[in-house]
Amino acid sequence: LGEAFYVLYVDSYLPVDYRAVGECFLRSGQLGLMTVYENHGRYDTSNVWFEGGEIKLYDKKNKVPTMHHIDYGLGVFRAGAFGGFSRGVVVDLAEVQKSLVARRQLAGCEIKQRFYEIGSHAGLKELDALLRAGNVSRATPRPPGGGPR
């Protein structure tokens, strides 16, 4: 895949500026970057504690009250992020991300535009209606630390 690459969840439509996310990743200097959305359990279960522009905790199974964000469905990684995992073995991306958080090597990039789940008929129908009505706009990520866009 090369030295650095994007990973996109296949069941998500993300109206985001991919170049800006890549620039956020490059500025971070870290092995990985997770885009996050302040969800408060609205579109799915929140699974990220994101505070002060930093991912403090990411866990899809063990929830804590400080988890108000959700992983947005787009990440950027350096090949070295996968260095501690065996080649040729299937690895859950969540395990890679949790490992990076533990090593303080997973940058966070907050996105203000919601994601759209398209892995179901209901999700596809909702997005189709929103797109036809012109109610989906592209978002620009917030730099780490929550500064100006």
Side-chain angles (χ1 to χ4, degrees), residues 25 28-33 81 99-107:
F25 168 69
S28 79
Q30 295 186 12
L31 290 174
L33 176 133
S99 169
L100 292 173
V101 169
R103 295 184 291 166
R104 298 184 66 115
Q105 282 294 311
L106 186 65

Side-chain angles (χ1 to χ4, degrees), residues 24 30 33-36 50 53-55 106-110 142-144:
C24 189
Q30 295 186 12
L33 176 133
M34 175 189 286
T35 52
V36 296
F50 179 75
E54 183 180 335
I55 296 176
L106 186 65
C109 184
E110 185 175 23
R142 291 178 106 186

Side-chain angles (χ1 to χ4, degrees), residues 88-144:
V89 176
V90 175
V91 177
D92 186 340
L93 183 62
E95 293 304 314
V96 174
Q97 292 166 316
K98 283 173 63 175
S99 169
L100 292 173
V101 169
R103 295 184 291 166
R104 298 184 66 115
Q105 282 294 311
L106 186 65
C109 184
E110 185 175 23
I111 308 297
K112 290 297 188 179
Q113 172 67 32
R114 69 164 279 203
F115 61 92
Y116 298 88
E117 177 276 320
I118 58 170
S120 69
H121 291 292
L124 284 169
K125 186 176 178 179
E126 176 194 22
L127 179 61
D128 181 61
L130 291 169
L131 288 170
R132 288 178 190 277
N135 292 334
V136 176
S137 62
R138 194 165 85 178
T140 302
R142 291 178 106 186

Side-chain angles (χ1 to χ4, degrees), residues 6-80:
Y6 289 85
V7 175
L8 172 68
Y9 295 0
V10 298
D11 64 348
S12 299
Y13 176 79
L14 308 175
V16 66
D17 183 339
Y18 289 82
R19 182 182 303 264
V21 170
E23 290 169 358
C24 189
F25 168 69
L26 293 174
R27 282 191 309 272
S28 79
Q30 295 186 12
L31 290 174
L33 176 133
M34 175 189 286
T35 52
V36 296
Y37 174 75
E38 191 170 5
N39 182 53
H40 293 281
R42 182 172 181 192
Y43 298 111
D44 203 344
T45 305
S46 296
N47 55 21
V48 179
W49 175 12
F50 179 75
E51 186 177 307
E54 183 180 335
I55 296 176
K56 306 282 189 179
L57 180 66
Y58 170 65
D59 199 313
K60 289 186 170 189
K61 296 176 185 166
N62 303 305
K63 308 298 186 245
V64 298
T66 52
M67 290 178 164
H68 301 295
H69 288 74
I70 189 169
D71 54 310
Y72 188 73
L74 176 65
V76 190
F77 299 92
R78 295 189 192 286

